[in-house]
Amino acid sequence: MSQPLPAIFIADSRGLDFLNSVATPADVPVDWIDDGEGLLAWLNQAQLLLQATLDEIRQRAMPGELNQVAAQARDLREWFRSFVRRHQGSPLSATALLELDPLNLLLGRDEKYGQLIARRSGDGSRLELQSLRRWRSPESLLQPIGEVMATLLAEEDFSVIKACQGPACTLLFADHTRGHTRRWCSSSPASSSF
């Protein structure tokens, strides 16, 4: 069943926000991608896909297919959570690449391509290269998730990735504060709520 609560985006990284798509906001665990509709809603709230694309994939999906993709996304999330937990707090080294086969396999299935378009600007129009993706099956919904995971790995300093210190909180975040003193998932330093 899709969650009525809006998803949580407090991590300062979409890759970590994906891990936070399951949390315990009020002593009751909530999984925002607990089924196919939940996955579509989370992708929309994360601004990883346009609503029109999600609607098109929903219409073409066979019965139960979106739920299967959501199960794959949850498995991917838990595999990645384990990786992030093992490596958080210190910079990633090249040896971490040995653990990333599942993500590289996912990224290798992408059907992304570029296309030139005309973009209007103040002084006329110019050509711009736009990145597009073929959405051949509901399983392709995993591609933008894999992309934000890969971006986290390639661009984030893992020494600033932290877990909230709230007693029951399971959320992760990138601590980009001066001095890296953030301890809670909330922006309020003395609170563990979000």
Side-chain angles (χ1 to χ4, degrees), residues 15-152:
L16 292 174
D17 285 329
F18 172 59
L19 296 182
N20 294 338
S21 64
V22 62
T24 308
D27 298 326
V28 176
V30 177
D31 190 341
W32 280 271
I33 56 173
D34 64 343
D35 63 11
E37 285 301 316
L39 174 62
L40 296 177
W42 187 86
L43 288 165
N44 184 36
Q45 290 176 48
Q47 299 177 352
L48 295 180
L49 286 172
L50 297 173
Q51 186 63 51
T53 301
L54 295 169
D55 291 342
E56 180 183 326
I57 291 171
R58 179 186 291 113
Q59 289 174 348
R60 289 192 327 219
M62 300 296 290
E65 198 172 15
L66 289 174
N67 289 338
Q68 290 172 354
V69 174
Q72 290 176 311
R74 290 189 304 273
D75 290 345
L76 182 64
R77 179 184 64 200
E78 295 316 310
W79 165 81
F80 194 52
R81 179 186 317 286
S82 175
F83 176 90
V84 170
R85 291 277 191 181
R86 273 194 314 280
H87 294 280
Q88 77 184 54
S90 60
L92 277 181
S93 68
T95 58
L97 188 58
L98 300 173
E99 301 175 55
L100 296 173
D101 284 344
L103 179 56
N104 279 327
L105 288 170
L106 172 64
L107 295 170
R109 294 193 308 253
D110 201 353
E111 294 211 38
K112 202 175 209 180
Y113 64 97
Q115 184 173 40
L116 289 169
I117 61 167
R119 181 74 67 190
R120 281 192 116 49
S121 63
D123 57 352
S125 66
R126 60 183 180 85
L127 294 180
E128 183 178 292
L129 182 61
Q130 182 178 45
S131 181
L132 301 169
R133 182 176 272 126
R134 288 179 184 85
W135 302 100
R136 296 191 194 272
S137 72
E139 193 172 62
S140 62
L141 292 170
L142 298 174
Q143 291 305 321
I145 293 171
E147 203 169 86
V148 297
M149 291 167 54
T151 299
L152 171 70

Side-chain angles (χ1 to χ4, degrees), residues 8-24 77-89 152 158 160-166 168-175 182-186 194:
I8 298 170
F9 297 97
I10 54 89
D12 207 17
S13 161
R14 280 295 179 252
L16 292 174
D17 285 329
F18 172 59
L19 296 182
N20 294 338
S21 64
V22 62
T24 308
R77 179 184 64 200
E78 295 316 310
W79 165 81
F80 194 52
R81 179 186 317 286
S82 175
F83 176 90
V84 170
R85 291 277 191 181
R86 273 194 314 280
H87 294 280
Q88 77 184 54
L152 171 70
F158 260 55
V160 301
I161 294 178
K162 297 181 178 180
C164 180
Q165 292 185 2
C169 191
T170 60
L171 299 177
L172 297 165
F173 58 88
D175 182 0
R182 184 175 170 194
R183 295 177 39 205
W184 313 101
C185 57
S186 156
F194 43 85

